Amino acid sequence: MNKAKRRTVIAGNWKMNKTPSETTALINEMKPLVKDADCDVVLCVPFVDIAAAIEASKGSNIRIGAENVHFKESGAYTGEVSAKMLKECGVEYVVIGHSERRQYFGETDQTVNLRTLAALNGGLKAIVCVGETLEQRELGYTETLLKYQTKMALTNVTAEQLKNVIIAYEPVWAIGTGVTATAEQADEGNGFVRSAIEEVYGKDVAETVTVQYGGSMNAKNADELLSKVNVDGGLIGGASLKAEDFSIIVKAANK
Ligand code: PEP
């Protein structure tokens, strides 16, 4: 297993936080703190903050992502935003299938797949989230579920397109709860995701795919989590809203 074959990506997921003016202030605070990063640094922000985020991050190593994308290019889908719209705004990444969208907004493995295809066809990089609930873990379904979710999300995604896919393993019980998976659990979960990719695309391809861990990653635990061979970065919620904490995670990824 060769970690050097893949990009390490630290991505913030701001969820429903920050107004445009707060976005400008936070990115201005972050820029000098992450400028020497030896990994990719991404901030996924609410739709209304995208313009401010793109403007504030200009000339820096911070890339901007959205938190969702619709699967059609245009049409009668009130309240939705397409990949083409995001791309034209300067967005490079998009989070797809976050557990909060699966839990509160009826996102399914099928819609996650459609959104992933739309993002890729629209020239965006997809950060696709998978993860088990506590109940599923306790019933012993973690491996089966992670492999199923990963394969479903990647249905009809070509090996070429996979170069623009990041999978984020996010155990649902660890998101926003302050309960972090142990480094061993994170490594194991990420390993299940990588095996699923290997089963479809082969070992050589699987070794090149960035698999992040997400779930209460913070300035204190990032070092240990990111040291694991299968953990190629993090998707960070709460700690990405604090410049200092986020930059400590970015520095942990540099090691
Ligand atoms: C997330 O929103 O993807 C996440 C992992 O949140 P938190 O870091 O707050 O658990």
Side-chain angles (χ1 to χ4, degrees), residues 2-253:
N2 188 349
K3 213 172 172 174
K5 285 188 182 168
R6 34 195 192 262
R7 297 288 310 163
T8 299
V9 183
I10 299 294
N13 171 28
W14 284 8
K15 313 194 189 206
M16 196 174 72
N17 292 294
K18 303 295 172 189
T19 65
S21 62
E22 290 167 347
T23 295
T24 305
L26 182 52
I27 293 182
N28 282 338
E29 200 185 339
M30 276 182 184
K31 277 193 294 193
L33 301 178
V34 302
K35 71 175 172 34
D36 297 322
D38 192 24
C39 60
D40 294 348
V41 181
V42 182
L43 294 174
C44 299
V45 305
F47 291 135
V48 295
D49 295 334
I50 286 171
I54 297 282
E55 186 57 34
S57 62
K58 262 188 197 148
S60 80
N61 58 333
I62 297 175
R63 308 268 74 89
I64 300 303
E67 298 179 14
N68 194 17
V69 63
H70 190 59
F71 33 84
K72 296 282 184 176
E73 249 191 44
S74 62
Y77 302 100
T78 302
E80 293 291 330
V81 171
S82 73
K84 194 175 173 189
M85 293 169 182
L86 293 174
K87 182 84 184 162
E88 195 172 315
C89 290
V91 165
E92 292 179 50
Y93 292 78
V94 60
V95 176
I96 295 172
H98 191 278
S99 67
E100 286 150 18
R101 297 222 50 95
R102 293 180 191 253
Q103 194 177 345
Y104 306 129
F105 302 103
E107 199 77 67
T108 65
D109 290 319
Q110 282 78 15
T111 58
V112 169
N113 174 238
L114 291 175
R115 289 182 206 275
T116 302
L117 290 169
L120 296 172
N121 290 331
L124 299 173
K125 294 186 174 77
I127 302 177
V128 180
C129 304
V130 297
E132 82 289 358
T133 62
L134 189 56
E135 194 188 5
Q136 288 161 338
R137 172 167 281 268
E138 285 173 349
L139 286 168
Y141 294 157
T142 303
E143 178 173 2
T144 310
L145 191 101
L146 289 180
K147 287 186 164 181
Y148 178 79
Q149 286 185 345
T150 302
K151 288 180 185 176
M152 285 293 285
L154 297 178
T155 304
N156 295 325
V157 171
T158 66
E160 188 57 30
Q161 286 178 312
L162 195 62
K163 290 178 183 160
N164 289 317
V165 175
I166 293 168
I167 305 284
Y169 166 50
E170 298 211 307
V172 179
W173 46 271
I175 298 176
T177 57
V179 181
T180 317
T182 63
E184 289 68 32
Q185 287 170 323
D187 197 42
E188 182 186 58
N190 283 28
F192 293 149
V193 168
R194 201 177 306 287
S195 316
I197 298 171
E198 184 176 333
E199 285 165 22
V200 180
Y201 298 91
K203 193 172 167 53
D204 289 353
V205 172
E207 288 211 337
T208 64
V209 178
T210 296
V211 184
Q212 297 174 318
Y213 167 77
S216 300
M217 191 186 278
N218 58 41
K220 289 204 177 87
N221 60 29
D223 238 349
E224 199 189 347
L225 288 162
L226 292 166
S227 72
K228 292 293 175 189
V229 71
N230 271 309
V231 180
D232 311 315
L235 184 57
I236 328 288
S240 71
L241 296 168
K242 295 177 200 137
E244 180 73 29
D245 288 17
F246 187 66
S247 73
I248 291 172
I249 298 173
V250 168
K251 280 176 193 132

